[in-house]
Amino acid sequence: MGEGTTALAGARIIDGTGRDPVDGLVVVVKDGLIQEVTRRPPREAVVVDLDGRTLIPGLIDAHVHLGLSSDMQGLVTGQVSAAEIAASIFRCAEQALMEGFTTVRDAGGIDAGVVRVITSGLMPGPRLLVSGPILSQTGGGGHYAPGWEPVCVWESRDLPGLLGMSLLADGADRVRGAAREAFRRGADFLKLMVTGAVLAHEDELEHTQFTVEEIAAAVQEARARGTYVTVHAHNNAGIRNALAAGATCVEHGSRLDEGTAAAMAEHGARLVPTLAVVHQLIDSAQDVGLPHTVGVRAASVLDGMRDAIKIARSAGVLVGSGSDLIGPDQSRRARELLYRSELLGPMAALVAATRDNAEILGLADRVGTIEAGKIADLVVLDRDPLDDPRAFADDVAMVVQSGRTVLARV
């Protein structure tokens, strides 16, 4: 698909809205947009017969770390060269696109230079929204350095234009400065670490990080730019601190309870759980470049994260979908949809990874559903994922991004 009018015909269409699948319709694409969804292709259209396959919107991953696609231990200790880091980032970005993820939100790591390379077409990859470097307190969840290393060494590992893992800040004024620096580097939104993390060396998941005043300084800077703050948070105290400060999105939320979920709903905050990375670390933290103990920590949050999805939905919280995969092997990103399908069924998993994620990313008027006027981000699957959700990860036959075919196996 390229210039001119193309009609995708013969597929079962699951449009991402949650409505039942429809057979017999034709999706007409022109100038990178969905022109119409109709019964008959226009006379001038080039017809692509999808022959009984399934057509879904381009998938969206609301929590990725393309910049953390190297061996993690080597990365945080400075043992991976800039060339290797760059190669891994662009390989990972292309892989995400070829697996049907036409848009992703990078929640910490890559710099605006990566965005420019992909947006310009120099290298293939999904549409990107990025937080730039994570904001973390000293010794917090985003400060991955070994305990013996002086704080001043940490940010010297940044690779301008490519990778900056985190900015360390203590006190509201320093958080404000770090927020401004993240935006100067091209951040679309901010991410703060407000509780302990599975990957952290010294803190515990029960710990809270950053005060309400500190978080509020970042929120104020984000609002001044018409955007938002999302927070890494496992425990309820950290989530409530973030809500009090005005944050509007929560990543992980593995210890979410009913009261805190109700508070999230009241504040209009969203939740992005991340089941795939938990399974990844449980299966083999060593493959990521992390010690076995990290897998043990990951196992401690799995059941809670599953429960959090149900608790949040029951409270009326919009629940998105993020894989959070790290390390060299970030393949089969759609495993997140498989794990969500086990909880809520494949239709709910698809809607979370399309329409709902588009809403969380602020792109609901542009992507996320198959509707006239939306950008033509489309994925063709060989099998119906409602019958077997493994099709999300294993049966991608065609990927269309902005009306251009980037993968075709049909």
Side-chain angles (χ1 to χ4, degrees):
M1 295 171 61
E3 296 181 0
T5 303
T6 302
L8 301 176
R12 167 166 288 185
I13 297 173
I14 309 175
D15 66 8
T17 66
R19 292 191 289 261
D20 290 339
V22 177
D23 295 314
L25 294 182
V26 177
V27 177
V28 181
V29 175
K30 183 179 180 182
D31 298 329
L33 301 176
I34 299 171
Q35 295 294 311
E36 60 178 333
V37 182
T38 184
R39 289 285 175 186
R40 295 178 180 274
R43 289 185 178 180
E44 72 275 15
V46 175
V47 178
V48 178
D49 184 5
L50 298 179
D51 190 26
R53 294 178 174 89
T54 299
L55 183 66
I56 63 174
L59 297 172
I60 302 170
D61 192 333
H63 191 128
V64 309
H65 289 292
L66 301 182
L68 305 185
S69 50
S70 303
D71 177 270
M72 288 294 295
Q73 188 63 26
L75 188 64
V76 301
T77 56
Q79 302 302 307
V80 187
S81 71
E84 291 167 310
I85 292 169
S88 295
I89 288 172
F90 291 116
R91 177 195 62 195
C92 188
E94 181 177 16
Q95 185 176 54
L97 180 60
M98 296 305 139
E99 292 183 354
F101 287 88
T102 51
T103 302
V104 302
R105 182 179 67 155
D106 193 285
I110 60 171
D111 210 331
V114 174
V115 179
R116 287 197 294 272
V117 167
I118 291 174
T119 302
S120 69
L122 286 173
M123 295 293 288
R127 184 177 298 104
L128 285 165
L129 295 176
V130 302
S131 71
I134 296 165
L135 273 58
S136 172
Q137 69 180 42
T138 300
H143 190 184
Y144 305 117
W148 47 262
E149 181 182 277
V151 173
C152 61
V153 175
W154 174 245
E155 289 176 17
S156 69
R157 294 207 185 95
D158 284 1
L159 298 170
L162 183 64
L163 178 67
M165 286 183 280
S166 62
L167 294 171
L168 306 181
D170 301 295
D173 286 344
R174 290 187 179 275
V175 170
R176 188 180 304 280
R180 291 173 178 175
E181 173 63 9
F183 283 124
R184 188 188 72 82
R185 296 188 191 182
D188 297 298
F189 64 99
L190 297 176
K191 179 187 172 187
L192 275 67
M193 308 291 287
V194 304
T195 76
V198 169
L199 301 188
H201 293 293
E202 300 298 334
D203 59 21
E204 300 296 333
L205 298 178
E206 293 81 6
H207 293 173
T208 59
Q209 298 174 8
F210 283 135
T211 64
V212 173
E213 182 185 21
E214 288 172 321
I215 302 167
V219 169
Q220 186 178 33
E221 291 301 316
R223 287 178 176 171
R225 291 162 177 79
T227 187
Y228 65 96
V229 167
T230 190
V231 296
H232 161 108
H234 285 280
N235 67 59
N236 293 288
I239 294 172
R240 286 180 178 272
N241 284 345
L243 295 176
T248 55
C249 192
V250 174
E251 314 295 312
H252 316 302
S254 67
R255 298 187 178 175
L256 185 71
D257 61 22
E258 287 82 358
T260 304
M264 287 182 65
E266 182 180 351
H267 284 81
R270 289 79 181 274
L271 175 68
V272 179
T274 54
L275 295 170
V277 71
V278 177
H279 284 277
Q280 180 190 34
L281 294 174
I282 292 171
D283 290 345
S284 181
Q286 292 94 326
D287 287 348
V288 174
L290 293 169
H292 171 73
T293 52
V294 171
V296 176
R297 284 169 69 103
S300 73
V301 306
L302 181 57
D303 288 343
M305 197 175 292
R306 287 170 172 158
D307 292 341
I309 293 169
K310 296 177 181 179
I311 290 169
R313 283 170 56 94
S314 295
V317 174
L318 183 64
V319 181
S321 176
S323 69
D324 195 20
L325 296 175
I326 57 175
D329 183 8
Q330 297 188 22
S331 62
R332 299 186 77 243
R333 189 171 296 279
R335 283 176 288 175
E336 186 67 28
L337 281 77
L338 307 188
Y339 301 131
R340 186 70 67 87
S341 295
E342 293 172 358
L343 287 177
L344 301 172
M347 179 63 87
L350 177 62
V351 171
T354 52
R355 184 194 67 186
D356 293 348
N357 270 354
E359 178 67 27
I360 290 170
L361 272 58
L363 299 176
D365 61 335
R366 301 174 61 196
V367 298
T369 56
I370 300 176
E371 297 177 90
K374 295 284 183 77
I375 294 173
D377 285 358
L378 303 162
V379 176
V380 178
L381 303 175
D382 282 327
R383 293 184 295 151
D384 187 340
L386 302 186
D387 293 335
D388 185 351
R390 288 176 296 182
F392 288 127
D394 297 336
D395 291 282
V396 175
M398 183 176 182
V399 178
V400 177
Q401 184 187 43
S402 298
R404 185 174 66 89
T405 301
V406 296
L407 174 72
R409 297 190 181 118
V410 297

